[in-house]
């Protein structure tokens, strides 16, 4: 309940509606790399990340993944499919052990679409989704692989970054394969580029597989 009340989409519900929505949420636990949502399920539920992280991917041939977005604790997703009743060409997979809350379309229609204040928050979420999609699209269309990687890392730092005295730590445990899926380059290319950026002093790979972007990385981004 405490987490839900901090999410804008839920914070504007009346106390009575909030309690009723909370009662209707179905909580499910997923292990790391387990499928949370298949494309054919996207028109049935909206989802809330109670713990853990999930990645939204487009599955290609031979099991390849192109990451479209990453959602963390407190994020909601799946609302667009409930609005237009169309499935999304994406699959959601847990990046670590996660707990997800499922909200049915019936509950969504009754408690969210009928509340004018909540609708304003919903529009804000959709606008944010659009901005994020535009940033990712801009990044993956850059002609140079290093520019793509730098742009994606900067994008992730804006969404998941934690600033400290050393720079900005991207609070995600990303494998080289996952970064490759985000940047649309090979895993080998990502490994080579990360090694070069470490040598140049632009970033540091921390022990827990998080990435520290140093001030010189941010400075160089001004010229891309």
């Amino acid at each position: 309940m405490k987490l839900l009340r901090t999410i804008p989409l839920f914070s504007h519900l009346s106390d009575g509606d909030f309690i009723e929505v909370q009662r209707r949420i179905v909580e499910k636990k997923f292990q790391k790399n387990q499928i949370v949502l298949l494309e054919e399920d996207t028109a049935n539920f909206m989802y809330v990340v109670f713990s853990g992280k999930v990645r939204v991917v487009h599955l290609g041939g031979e099991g390849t993944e192109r990451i479209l977005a990453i959602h963390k604790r407190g994020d909601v997703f799946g609302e667009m499919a409930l609005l237009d009743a169309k499935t999304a060409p994406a699959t959601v997979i847990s990046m670590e052990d996660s707990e997800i809350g499922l909200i049915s379309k019936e509950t969504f229609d009754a408690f969210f679409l009928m509340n004018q204040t909540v609708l304003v928050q919903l529009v804000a979420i959709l606008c944010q989704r659009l901005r994020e999609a535009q940033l990712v699209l801009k990044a993956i269309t850059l002609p140079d692989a290093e520019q793509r990687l730098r742009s994606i890392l900067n994008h992730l730092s804006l969404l998941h970054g934690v600033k400290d005295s050393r720079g900005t730590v991207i609070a995600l445990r990303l494998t080289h394969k996952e970064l490759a899926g985000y940047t649309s380059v090979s895993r080998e290319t990502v490994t080579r580029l990360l090694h070069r950026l470490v040598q140049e002093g632009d970033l540091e790979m921390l022990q827990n597989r998080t990435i520290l972007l140093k001030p010189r990385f941010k400075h160089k981004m001004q010229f891309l």
Side-chain angles (χ1 to χ4, degrees):
M1 181 180 292
K2 191 173 182 179
L3 173 64
L4 284 177
R5 272 304 194 190
T6 66
I7 301 173
L9 204 58
F10 295 85
S11 62
H12 294 282
L13 292 172
S14 67
D15 290 342
D17 286 350
F18 178 79
I19 292 173
E20 183 60 25
V21 168
Q22 185 192 30
R23 186 184 68 81
R24 296 183 181 205
I25 292 177
V26 178
E27 298 181 24
K28 288 191 175 183
K29 294 183 178 180
F30 298 88
Q31 296 180 345
K32 182 179 179 180
N33 292 325
Q34 186 176 354
I35 291 178
V36 176
L37 171 66
L38 292 170
E39 176 182 343
E40 54 266 28
D41 298 324
T42 55
N44 300 321
F45 295 96
M46 184 177 75
Y47 300 78
V48 184
V49 183
F50 287 142
S51 66
K53 296 182 181 71
V54 300
R55 63 185 184 272
V56 183
V57 304
H58 179 267
L59 298 177
E62 301 179 356
T64 59
E65 293 183 3
R66 184 163 69 85
I67 297 180
L68 305 175
I70 293 175
H71 297 301
K72 62 184 183 302
R73 183 176 185 268
D75 286 348
V76 298
F77 60 94
E79 70 289 332
M80 283 191 288
L82 296 187
L83 289 170
D84 62 10
K86 295 181 179 179
T87 59
T91 299
V92 179
I93 303 173
S94 57
M95 299 179 68
E96 56 192 48
D97 290 352
S98 303
E99 187 173 355
I100 310 295
L102 283 66
I103 300 174
S104 70
K105 178 173 174 52
E106 178 186 10
T107 298
F108 179 80
D109 290 346
F111 293 93
F112 294 91
L113 292 188
M114 302 303 292
N115 186 314
Q116 189 69 32
T117 306
V118 173
L119 281 177
V120 173
Q121 296 300 320
L122 186 58
V123 170
I125 290 174
L126 295 177
C127 290
Q128 180 182 348
R129 294 270 195 270
L130 179 60
R131 285 193 296 269
E132 292 175 6
Q134 289 173 332
L135 286 172
V136 173
L137 181 61
K138 179 181 178 181
I140 64 176
T141 54
L142 290 170
D144 182 75
E146 181 176 335
Q147 288 182 337
R148 271 189 251 169
L149 179 60
R150 284 181 178 273
S151 185
I152 287 295
L153 289 174
N154 187 62
H155 171 64
L156 291 173
S157 74
L158 295 176
L159 293 178
H160 309 283
V162 178
K163 293 184 178 181
D164 64 17
S165 59
R166 303 167 297 173
T168 303
V169 177
I170 300 176
L172 293 172
R173 295 183 179 90
L174 292 170
T175 66
H176 290 191
K177 181 180 179 181
E178 288 167 342
L179 271 176
Y182 230 135
T183 54
S184 296
V185 299
S186 68
R187 182 174 57 183
E188 293 76 16
T189 299
V190 166
T191 299
R192 174 174 54 81
L193 290 174
L194 287 175
H195 180 68
R196 182 198 299 172
L197 295 179
V198 169
Q199 287 185 320
E200 293 177 356
D202 288 357
L203 58 82
E204 182 179 340
M205 306 299 294
L206 304 180
Q207 290 183 344
N208 57 359
R209 281 217 324 260
T210 58
I211 299 174
L212 168 66
L213 302 183
K214 297 184 176 180
R216 61 179 289 136
F217 178 95
K218 290 291 187 178
H219 177 71
K220 288 182 179 180
M221 285 302 302
Q222 300 175 19
F223 304 99
L224 287 183

